[in-house]
Coordinates of all heavy atoms in Angstrom, one line a residue:
M92 N -7.0 25.5 7.5 CA -7.4 24.6 8.7 C -6.5 23.4 8.8 O -6.2 22.7 7.8 CB -8.9 24.1 8.5 CG -9.4 23.3 9.6 SD -9.7 24.3 11.1 CE -11.1 25.3 10.6
V93 N -5.9 23.2 10.0 CA -5.0 22.1 10.2 C -5.7 21.0 10.9 O -6.5 21.3 11.8 CB -3.8 22.6 11.0 CG1 -2.9 21.4 11.3 CG2 -3.1 23.7 10.3
Y94 N -5.5 19.8 10.5 CA -6.1 18.6 11.2 C -5.0 17.9 12.0 O -3.9 17.7 11.6 CB -6.7 17.6 10.2 CG -7.9 18.2 9.5 CD1 -7.9 19.2 8.6 CD2 -9.2 17.6 9.8 CE1 -9.0 19.8 8.1 CE2 -10.3 18.2 9.2 CZ -10.2 19.2 8.4 OH -11.4 19.7 7.8
K95 N -5.4 17.6 13.3 CA -4.5 17.0 14.2 C -5.1 15.9 14.9 O -6.3 15.7 14.9 CB -4.0 18.1 15.2 CG -3.3 19.2 14.7 CD -2.9 20.2 15.8 CE -2.1 21.4 15.2 NZ -1.9 22.4 16.3
I96 N -4.3 15.1 15.6 CA -4.8 14.1 16.5 C -4.6 14.6 17.9 O -3.5 15.0 18.3 CB -4.1 12.8 16.3 CG1 -4.4 12.2 14.9 CG2 -4.4 11.7 17.3 CD1 -3.6 11.1 14.4
N97 N -5.7 14.5 18.7 CA -5.7 14.9 20.1 C -5.1 13.7 20.9 O -5.7 12.7 21.0 CB -7.1 15.3 20.6 CG -7.1 15.7 22.0 OD1 -6.2 15.5 22.8 ND2 -8.2 16.3 22.4
P98 N -3.9 13.9 21.4 CA -3.2 12.8 22.1 C -4.0 12.4 23.4 O -3.8 11.2 23.9 CB -1.8 13.3 22.4 CG -1.9 14.8 22.4 CD -3.0 15.1 21.4
E99 N -4.8 13.3 23.9 CA -5.5 12.9 25.2 C -6.7 12.0 24.9 O -7.2 11.3 25.7 CB -6.0 14.2 25.9 CG -4.8 15.0 26.4 CD -5.2 16.2 27.2 OE1 -6.4 16.5 27.3 OE2 -4.3 17.0 27.6
K100 N -7.2 12.1 23.7 CA -8.4 11.2 23.3 C -7.9 10.0 22.5 O -8.6 9.0 22.5 CB -9.3 12.0 22.3 CG -10.2 13.0 23.0 CD -11.2 13.5 22.1 CE -12.3 14.3 22.7 NZ -13.3 14.8 21.8
C101 N -6.8 10.0 21.9 CA -6.3 8.9 21.0 C -6.1 7.6 21.8 O -5.4 7.6 22.9 CB -5.0 9.3 20.3 SG -4.4 8.0 19.2
L102 N -6.7 6.5 21.3 CA -6.5 5.2 21.9 C -5.3 4.4 21.4 O -5.0 3.3 21.9 CB -7.8 4.4 21.7 CG -9.1 5.0 22.1 CD1 -10.3 4.2 21.5 CD2 -9.2 5.1 23.6
K103 N -4.6 5.0 20.5 CA -3.4 4.4 19.8 C -3.8 3.0 19.2 O -3.0 2.1 19.2 CB -2.3 4.2 20.9 CG -1.9 5.5 21.5 CD -0.6 5.4 22.2 CE 0.0 6.7 22.7 NZ 1.3 6.6 23.3
C104 N -5.0 3.0 18.6 CA -5.4 1.7 18.0 C -4.8 1.5 16.6 O -4.8 0.4 16.1 CB -6.9 1.7 17.9 SG -7.6 2.9 16.8
G105 N -4.4 2.6 15.9 CA -3.8 2.6 14.6 C -4.8 2.5 13.5 O -4.4 2.4 12.3
L106 N -6.1 2.5 13.7 CA -7.1 2.3 12.7 C -7.0 3.4 11.6 O -7.2 3.1 10.4 CB -8.5 2.3 13.3 CG -9.7 2.1 12.4 CD1 -9.6 0.8 11.7 CD2 -11.0 2.2 13.1
C107 N -6.7 4.6 12.0 CA -6.7 5.8 11.1 C -5.7 5.6 10.0 O -5.9 6.0 8.9 CB -6.5 7.1 11.8 SG -5.1 7.1 12.9
V108 N -4.6 4.9 10.3 CA -3.5 4.7 9.3 C -4.0 3.8 8.2 O -3.5 3.9 7.1 CB -2.3 4.2 10.0 CG1 -1.1 4.0 9.0 CG2 -1.8 5.1 11.1
T109 N -4.9 2.9 8.5 CA -5.4 1.9 7.5 C -6.6 2.5 6.7 O -7.0 1.9 5.8 CB -5.9 0.6 8.2 OG1 -7.1 0.9 9.0 CG2 -4.8 0.1 9.2
Q110 N -7.1 3.6 7.1 CA -8.2 4.2 6.4 C -7.7 4.9 5.1 O -6.5 4.9 4.9 CB -9.0 5.2 7.3 CG -9.4 4.7 8.6 CD -10.7 3.8 8.5 OE1 -11.0 3.3 7.5 NE2 -11.4 3.8 9.7
D111 N -8.6 5.4 4.3 CA -8.3 5.8 3.0 C -8.1 7.3 2.8 O -8.7 8.0 2.0 CB -9.4 5.3 2.0 CG -8.9 5.2 0.6 OD1 -7.7 5.2 0.4 OD2 -9.8 5.3 -0.3
C112 N -7.1 7.8 3.6 CA -6.8 9.2 3.4 C -6.2 9.4 2.0 O -5.2 8.7 1.7 CB -5.7 9.6 4.5 SG -4.9 11.2 4.2
P113 N -6.7 10.3 1.2 CA -6.2 10.4 -0.1 C -4.7 10.9 -0.2 O -4.1 10.6 -1.2 CB -7.1 11.5 -0.7 CG -7.8 12.2 0.4 CD -7.8 11.2 1.5
E114 N -4.2 11.5 0.8 CA -2.8 11.9 0.8 C -1.9 11.0 1.6 O -0.8 11.3 1.8 CB -2.8 13.4 1.4 CG -3.7 14.4 0.7 CD -3.5 14.4 -0.8 OE1 -2.3 14.3 -1.2 OE2 -4.4 14.7 -1.5
K115 N -2.5 10.0 2.2 CA -1.7 9.1 3.1 C -1.0 9.9 4.2 O 0.2 9.7 4.4 CB -0.8 8.2 2.3 CG -1.4 7.4 1.2 CD -0.8 6.1 1.0 CE -1.5 5.2 -0.1 NZ -3.0 5.2 -0.1
A116 N -1.7 10.8 4.8 CA -1.1 11.8 5.7 C -1.0 11.2 7.1 O -0.3 11.8 8.0 CB -2.0 13.1 5.7
F117 N -1.7 10.1 7.4 CA -1.6 9.5 8.8 C -0.3 8.6 8.8 O -0.1 7.8 8.0 CB -2.8 8.6 9.1 CG -4.0 9.4 9.3 CD1 -4.8 9.8 8.3 CD2 -4.4 9.7 10.6 CE1 -6.0 10.5 8.5 CE2 -5.5 10.4 10.9 CZ -6.3 10.9 9.8
V118 N 0.6 8.9 9.7 CA 1.8 8.2 9.8 C 2.0 7.7 11.3 O 1.7 8.3 12.2 CB 3.0 9.0 9.4 CG1 3.0 9.3 7.9 CG2 3.1 10.3 10.2
V119 N 2.6 6.5 11.3 CA 2.9 5.9 12.7 C 4.3 6.4 13.0 O 5.3 6.2 12.3 CB 3.0 4.4 12.6 CG1 3.4 3.8 13.9 CG2 1.6 3.8 12.2
V120 N 4.4 7.1 14.2 CA 5.7 7.6 14.6 C 6.3 6.8 15.7 O 7.5 6.9 16.0 CB 5.6 9.1 15.1 CG1 5.2 10.0 14.0 CG2 4.6 9.2 16.2
D121 N 5.5 5.9 16.3 CA 6.0 5.0 17.3 C 5.1 3.8 17.5 O 3.9 4.0 17.3 CB 6.2 5.7 18.7 CG 7.1 4.9 19.6 OD1 7.9 4.1 19.1 OD2 6.9 5.0 20.8
K122 N 5.6 2.7 17.8 CA 4.8 1.5 18.0 C 5.4 0.7 19.2 O 6.6 0.5 19.3 CB 5.0 0.6 16.7 CG 4.1 -0.5 16.5 CD 4.2 -1.0 15.1 CE 4.6 -2.5 15.1 NZ 4.7 -3.0 13.7
A123 N 4.5 0.3 20.1 CA 5.0 -0.4 21.3 C 4.0 -1.5 21.6 O 2.8 -1.5 21.4 CB 5.0 0.6 22.5
T124 N 4.6 -2.6 22.0 CA 3.8 -3.8 22.4 C 3.8 -3.9 23.9 O 4.8 -3.9 24.6 CB 4.5 -5.1 21.8 OG1 4.6 -4.9 20.4 CG2 3.6 -6.3 22.1
E125 N 2.5 -3.9 24.4 CA 2.3 -4.1 25.8 C 2.6 -5.5 26.3 O 2.7 -6.4 25.5 CB 0.8 -3.7 26.2 CG 0.4 -2.3 25.7 CD 0.9 -1.3 26.7 OE1 0.3 -1.0 27.7 OE2 2.0 -0.7 26.4
N126 N 2.6 -5.7 27.6 CA 2.9 -7.0 28.2 C 1.9 -8.0 27.7 O 2.1 -9.2 27.6 CB 3.0 -7.0 29.7 CG 4.2 -6.2 30.1 OD1 5.2 -6.2 29.4 ND2 4.2 -5.7 31.3
D127 N 0.6 -7.6 27.5 CA -0.5 -8.5 27.2 C -0.5 -8.7 25.6 O -1.4 -9.4 25.2 CB -1.8 -8.0 27.6 CG -2.2 -6.6 27.0 OD1 -1.4 -6.1 26.2 OD2 -3.2 -6.1 27.4
G128 N 0.5 -8.2 24.9 CA 0.6 -8.5 23.5 C -0.1 -7.4 22.6 O 0.0 -7.4 21.4
L129 N -0.8 -6.5 23.2 CA -1.5 -5.4 22.5 C -0.5 -4.4 21.9 O 0.4 -4.0 22.6 CB -2.5 -4.7 23.4 CG -3.4 -3.6 22.8 CD1 -4.4 -4.3 21.9 CD2 -4.1 -2.8 23.9
T130 N -0.6 -4.1 20.7 CA 0.3 -3.2 20.0 C -0.4 -1.8 20.0 O -1.5 -1.6 19.6 CB 0.6 -3.6 18.6 OG1 1.2 -4.9 18.6 CG2 1.6 -2.6 18.0
L131 N 0.3 -0.8 20.5 CA -0.2 0.6 20.5 C 0.6 1.4 19.5 O 1.9 1.3 19.5 CB 0.0 1.2 22.0 CG -0.7 0.4 23.1 CD1 -0.5 1.1 24.4 CD2 -2.2 0.4 22.8
Y132 N -0.1 2.2 18.8 CA 0.5 3.0 17.7 C 0.4 4.5 18.1 O -0.7 5.0 18.3 CB -0.2 2.8 16.4 CG -0.2 1.4 15.9 CD1 -1.2 0.4 16.3 CD2 0.8 0.9 15.1 CE1 -1.2 -0.9 15.9 CE2 0.8 -0.4 14.7 CZ -0.2 -1.3 15.1 OH -0.1 -2.6 14.7
T133 N 1.5 5.2 18.1 CA 1.5 6.6 18.2 C 1.4 7.2 16.8 O 2.3 6.9 16.0 CB 2.7 7.1 19.0 OG1 2.7 6.5 20.3 CG2 2.7 8.7 19.1
V134 N 0.4 7.9 16.5 CA 0.1 8.3 15.1 C 0.0 9.9 15.1 O -0.3 10.5 16.0 CB -1.3 7.7 14.7 CG1 -1.6 8.2 13.3 CG2 -1.2 6.2 14.7
K135 N 0.4 10.4 13.9 CA 0.3 11.8 13.7 C -0.2 12.1 12.3 O -0.1 11.2 11.4 CB 1.5 12.6 14.0 CG 2.6 12.4 12.9 CD 3.6 13.5 13.0 CE 4.5 13.5 11.8 NZ 5.5 14.6 11.8
I136 N -0.8 13.2 12.1 CA -1.1 13.6 10.7 C 0.0 14.5 10.2 O 0.3 15.5 10.8 CB -2.5 14.4 10.7 CG1 -3.6 13.5 11.1 CG2 -2.8 15.0 9.3 CD1 -5.0 14.1 11.3
D137 N 0.6 14.1 9.1 CA 1.7 14.9 8.5 C 1.1 16.2 7.9 O 0.4 16.2 6.9 CB 2.4 14.1 7.4 CG 3.6 14.7 6.8 OD1 3.7 16.0 6.9 OD2 4.5 14.0 6.4
E138 N 1.5 17.3 8.5 CA 0.9 18.6 8.1 C 1.4 19.0 6.7 O 0.7 19.9 6.1 CB 1.3 19.7 9.1 CG 2.8 19.9 9.2 CD 3.2 20.7 10.4 OE1 2.6 20.6 11.5 OE2 4.2 21.5 10.3
H139 N 2.4 18.4 6.2 CA 2.9 18.7 4.9 C 2.1 18.0 3.8 O 2.2 18.3 2.7 CB 4.4 18.5 4.8 CG 5.2 19.3 5.8 ND1 5.3 20.6 5.7 CD2 6.0 18.9 6.8 CE1 6.1 21.1 6.7 NE2 6.5 20.0 7.4
K140 N 1.5 16.9 4.2 CA 0.7 16.1 3.3 C -0.8 16.4 3.3 O -1.4 16.3 2.3 CB 0.9 14.6 3.6 CG 2.3 14.0 3.2 CD 2.3 12.6 3.5 CE 3.7 12.0 3.0 NZ 3.7 10.5 3.3
C141 N -1.3 16.7 4.5 CA -2.7 16.9 4.7 C -3.2 18.1 3.9 O -2.6 19.2 4.0 CB -3.0 17.1 6.1 SG -4.8 17.5 6.5
T142 N -4.2 17.9 3.1 CA -4.8 19.0 2.3 C -6.1 19.5 2.9 O -6.8 20.3 2.2 CB -5.1 18.5 0.8 OG1 -5.9 17.4 0.9 CG2 -3.8 18.1 0.1
S143 N -6.4 19.1 4.1 CA -7.6 19.6 4.8 C -8.9 19.2 4.0 O -9.8 20.0 4.0 CB -7.5 21.1 5.1 OG -6.3 21.4 5.8
C144 N -8.9 18.0 3.5 CA -10.0 17.7 2.6 C -11.3 17.4 3.5 O -12.4 17.3 3.0 CB -9.7 16.4 1.8 SG -9.6 14.9 2.7
D145 N -11.1 17.2 4.8 CA -12.2 17.0 5.8 C -12.7 15.5 5.8 O -13.6 15.2 6.6 CB -13.3 17.9 5.5 CG -14.2 18.1 6.7 OD1 -13.7 18.5 7.8 OD2 -15.4 17.9 6.6
T146 N -12.2 14.7 5.0 CA -12.7 13.3 4.9 C -12.6 12.6 6.2 O -13.6 12.0 6.7 CB -12.0 12.5 3.8 OG1 -12.1 13.2 2.6 CG2 -12.6 11.1 3.7
C147 N -11.5 12.6 6.9 CA -11.3 11.9 8.1 C -12.1 12.5 9.2 O -12.7 11.7 10.1 CB -9.8 11.9 8.5 SG -9.1 13.5 8.7
F148 N -12.3 13.8 9.2 CA -13.1 14.4 10.3 C -14.6 14.2 10.1 O -15.3 14.0 11.1 CB -12.8 15.9 10.3 CG -13.4 16.7 11.4 CD1 -12.8 16.7 12.7 CD2 -14.6 17.4 11.2 CE1 -13.3 17.4 13.7 CE2 -15.1 18.1 12.3 CZ -14.5 18.1 13.5
S149 N -15.0 14.1 8.9 CA -16.5 14.1 8.7 C -17.0 12.6 8.7 O -18.2 12.5 8.7 CB -16.8 14.8 7.4 OG -16.2 14.2 6.3
H150 N -16.2 11.6 8.7 CA -16.6 10.3 8.7 C -16.4 9.7 10.2 O -15.3 9.5 10.6 CB -15.9 9.4 7.8 CG -16.2 9.7 6.3 ND1 -15.8 10.8 5.7 CD2 -17.0 9.0 5.5 CE1 -16.3 10.8 4.4 NE2 -17.0 9.7 4.3
E151 N -17.6 9.5 10.9 CA -17.5 9.2 12.3 C -16.8 7.8 12.5 O -16.2 7.6 13.6 CB -18.9 9.1 12.9 CG -19.5 10.5 13.0 CD -20.7 10.5 13.9 OE1 -21.1 9.4 14.3 OE2 -21.3 11.6 14.2
W152 N -16.9 6.9 11.5 CA -16.3 5.6 11.7 C -14.8 5.6 11.6 O -14.1 4.7 11.9 CB -16.9 4.6 10.7 CG -17.0 5.2 9.4 CD1 -18.2 5.6 8.8 CD2 -16.0 5.3 8.3 NE1 -18.0 6.1 7.6 CE2 -16.7 5.9 7.2 CE3 -14.7 5.0 8.3 CZ2 -16.0 6.2 6.0 CZ3 -14.0 5.3 7.1 CH2 -14.6 5.9 6.0
W153 N -14.2 6.7 11.1 CA -12.8 6.8 10.8 C -11.9 6.6 12.1 O -11.0 5.9 12.1 CB -12.5 8.2 10.2 CG -11.1 8.2 9.5 CD1 -9.9 8.2 10.1 CD2 -10.9 8.4 8.1 NE1 -8.9 8.3 9.1 CE2 -9.5 8.4 7.9 CE3 -11.8 8.5 7.0 CZ2 -9.0 8.5 6.6 CZ3 -11.2 8.6 5.7 CH2 -9.8 8.7 5.6
C154 N -12.3 7.3 13.1 CA -11.6 7.2 14.4 C -12.6 6.9 15.5 O -13.5 7.7 15.8 CB -10.9 8.5 14.7 SG -10.3 8.6 16.4
P155 N -12.5 5.7 16.2 CA -13.5 5.4 17.2 C -13.5 6.3 18.4 O -14.5 6.4 19.1 CB -13.1 3.9 17.6 CG -11.7 3.8 17.2 CD -11.5 4.7 16.0
A156 N -12.4 7.0 18.6 CA -12.3 7.9 19.8 C -12.6 9.3 19.5 O -12.6 10.2 20.4 CB -10.9 7.8 20.4
K157 N -12.9 9.6 18.2 CA -13.1 11.0 17.8 C -12.0 11.9 18.2 O -12.1 13.0 18.7 CB -14.4 11.5 18.3 CG -15.7 10.8 17.8 CD -17.0 11.4 18.1 CE -18.2 10.8 17.5 NZ -18.1 9.3 17.3
A158 N -10.8 11.4 17.9 CA -9.6 12.1 18.4 C -9.0 13.0 17.3 O -8.0 13.7 17.5 CB -8.5 11.0 18.8
I159 N -9.6 12.9 16.1 CA -9.2 13.8 15.0 C -9.8 15.1 15.2 O -11.1 15.2 15.3 CB -9.5 13.2 13.6 CG1 -8.8 11.8 13.5 CG2 -9.0 14.1 12.5 CD1 -9.3 11.0 12.3
V160 N -9.1 16.2 15.3 CA -9.6 17.5 15.5 C -9.1 18.5 14.5 O -8.0 18.4 14.0 CB -9.3 18.0 17.0 CG1 -9.9 17.1 18.0 CG2 -7.8 18.0 17.2
K161 N -9.9 19.6 14.3 CA -9.5 20.7 13.5 C -8.7 21.6 14.5 O -9.3 22.1 15.5 CB -10.7 21.4 12.9 CG -11.4 20.6 11.9 CD -12.6 21.4 11.3 CE -13.4 20.6 10.4 NZ -14.5 21.3 9.8
G162 N -7.5 21.9 14.1 CA -6.7 22.7 15.1 C -6.6 24.2 14.8 O -6.8 24.6 13.7
Ligands
SF4_176 S1 -8.1 5.9 14.9 FE1 -8.3 7.5 16.4 S2 -7.9 6.5 18.4 FE2 -7.1 5.2 16.7 S3 -4.9 5.7 16.5 FE3 -6.1 6.9 15.0 S4 -6.5 8.9 16.1 FE4 -5.9 7.4 17.7
SF4_177 S1 -8.1 16.0 6.2 FE1 -8.0 14.7 4.3 S2 -5.8 14.8 3.7 FE2 -6.0 15.5 5.8 S3 -5.5 13.7 7.1 FE3 -7.8 13.9 6.9 S4 -8.3 12.6 5.1 FE4 -6.1 13.0 5.0

């Protein structure tokens, strides 16, 4: 089972990168600052690091947008 981030749901808040993924599989691939000062993070799950432990998917607080999906 592969875990991915659904780009259509992702808010680019960056919260998932700060959570406690045991493999540190969440990586920021791009960072942009909006005119209002808000920073948006484009994030992915590194498929080579993710061990499909299910922790990020099963904890509702991990991603506020529920953008982490089993692919
Ligand atoms: S926590 Fe969810 S909404 Fe925020 S960047 Fe990560 S995947 Fe996207
Ligand atoms: S399934 Fe586990 S190893 Fe994979 S990204 Fe989520 S918390 Fe990290």
Side-chain angles (χ1 to χ4, degrees):
M92 184 69 71
V93 178
Y94 288 71
K95 295 179 180 173
I96 293 172
N97 181 344
E99 292 181 6
K100 283 189 168 183
C101 178
L102 305 171
K103 299 192 173 186
C104 67
L106 181 63
C107 53
V108 181
T109 69
Q110 306 283 24
D111 200 19
C112 166
E114 307 303 328
K115 306 215 178 316
F117 288 85
V118 290
V119 176
V120 294
D121 193 26
K122 193 168 120 176
T124 304
E125 301 283 276
N126 289 337
D127 60 4
L129 184 69
T130 303
L131 299 179
Y132 301 88
T133 302
V134 176
K135 73 165 192 172
I136 294 174
D137 186 333
E138 61 191 37
H139 300 296
K140 289 184 176 177
C141 176
T142 56
S143 304
C144 73
D145 200 56
T146 305
C147 58
F148 186 81
S149 59
H150 288 75
E151 287 193 357
W152 41 262
W153 195 293
C154 168
K157 297 190 174 33
I159 300 167
V160 294
K161 295 181 183 181

